[in-house]
Amino acid sequence: MVLVMKVLGICGSPRKGANTEYALNFTLNELKTMGFETEAVLLSEKEVKFCNHCGKCLEGKECPIKDSAREIFEKMQLADAIIVASPVYYVGVSAQIKALFDRSLMIRGKLKGKVGGAIAVGQARNGGQEIVCEQIINWMLTHEMKIVPMRFGGMLVGSMKELEAVKRDEVGLNSCKNLAKKIAEALQK
Ligand SMILES: Cc1cc2nc3c(=O)[nH]c(=O)nc-3n(C[C@H](O)[C@H](O)[C@H](O)COP(=O)(O)O)c2cc1C
């Protein structure tokens, strides 16, 4: 039996069917074409509450907050690679992504060695995409994941008004192709 490696994508836009989702699906499709199994989790369809630092997970107990976080973290633990895609909000990740990052305290040590990649979509070409990718990568590094350097992408220009403006961003989409290629390489090592 041949085991197919799995790439999980997390979309942190609260807008369904918008630019960040498009960029993530574009990247996942590249990986699918290369033979990987892919899945996208849309935070626009989930509820992830804030970590309130109650300390239960640090004592080895279950997180008492009942929402979608546990289900998302189970998927992360089953994946070989994780791509986190966020819109640029005030030169930072969306609150949806930050909430998920903070709640991942409950799975510390469980993402070690997984391959990670970042995608950021802003309205401006230099609107803070690098800073968002850096935030995502820092979260991945804290979990001791293996990172695809941000110089390979994916950084794109979306729009506040148009849901699929990113379709016209050839440079950005090309950076997603590079990201997919580098993720595939890292998985095949
Ligand atoms: C609250 C808020 C803050 C934003 N801040 C920035 C920013 O700092 N830089 C930027 O380039 N775009 C910024 N934008 C624009 C979004 O990044 C852009 O519309 C992007 O396409 C949103 O992703 P989506 O289309 O997947 O929803 C902001 C949008 C919102 C709603």
Side-chain angles (χ1 to χ4, degrees):
M1 196 175 78
V2 182
L3 276 181
V4 178
M5 281 194 273
K6 188 164 181 175
V7 183
L8 178 74
I10 309 287
C11 178
S13 173
R15 292 202 293 182
K16 252 185 97 54
N19 299 284
T20 311
E21 196 179 313
Y22 185 93
L24 176 63
N25 284 333
F26 180 89
T27 312
L28 291 176
N29 276 336
E30 289 287 315
L31 285 152
K32 206 180 200 168
T33 311
M34 293 180 226
F36 296 96
E37 193 184 321
T38 64
E39 183 182 354
V41 168
L42 311 179
L43 296 188
S44 57
E45 295 176 343
K46 307 284 179 196
E47 186 194 27
V48 179
K49 295 179 185 155
F50 299 140
C51 171
N52 53 28
H53 203 335
C54 70
K56 291 278 187 292
C57 68
L58 299 173
E59 295 165 12
K61 294 179 187 141
E62 226 177 63
C63 176
I65 304 172
K66 301 290 170 242
D67 60 9
S68 314
R70 195 185 321 244
E71 158 208 334
I72 298 170
F73 292 142
E74 274 165 18
K75 286 182 191 291
M76 283 190 184
Q77 287 173 73
L78 291 173
D80 300 289
I82 300 165
I83 301 174
V84 173
S86 178
V88 181
Y89 278 4
Y90 287 100
V91 196
V93 291
S94 67
Q96 285 78 1
I97 287 290
K98 185 65 172 85
L100 187 72
F101 283 180
D102 292 349
R103 293 287 299 291
S104 71
L105 190 63
M106 69 165 105
I107 52 157
R108 66 201 177 283
K110 299 199 169 145
L111 302 180
K112 193 172 180 170
K114 292 188 190 294
V115 172
I119 294 176
V121 183
Q123 154 130 313
R125 170 61 69 195
N126 301 110
Q129 286 89 334
E130 286 204 12
I131 291 166
V132 167
C133 284
E134 191 180 23
Q135 264 184 291
I136 295 169
I137 286 170
N138 279 338
W139 171 77
M140 292 174 166
L141 287 172
T142 307
H143 280 288
E144 297 177 83
M145 290 172 62
K146 277 195 315 201
I147 312 303
V148 172
M150 74 166 97
R151 85 172 184 85
F152 296 107
M155 295 181 215
L156 305 99
V157 180
S159 165
M160 295 182 94
K161 291 187 182 152
E162 237 187 288
L163 291 184
E164 291 193 346
V166 85
K167 265 186 180 172
R168 296 190 300 274
D169 180 19
E170 263 182 59
V171 174
L173 292 176
N174 210 34
S175 84
C176 288
K177 280 188 189 170
N178 286 337
L179 177 65
K181 220 184 291 168
K182 285 288 159 189
I183 286 174
E185 269 176 34
L187 284 173
Q188 281 151 358
K189 261 179 204 158

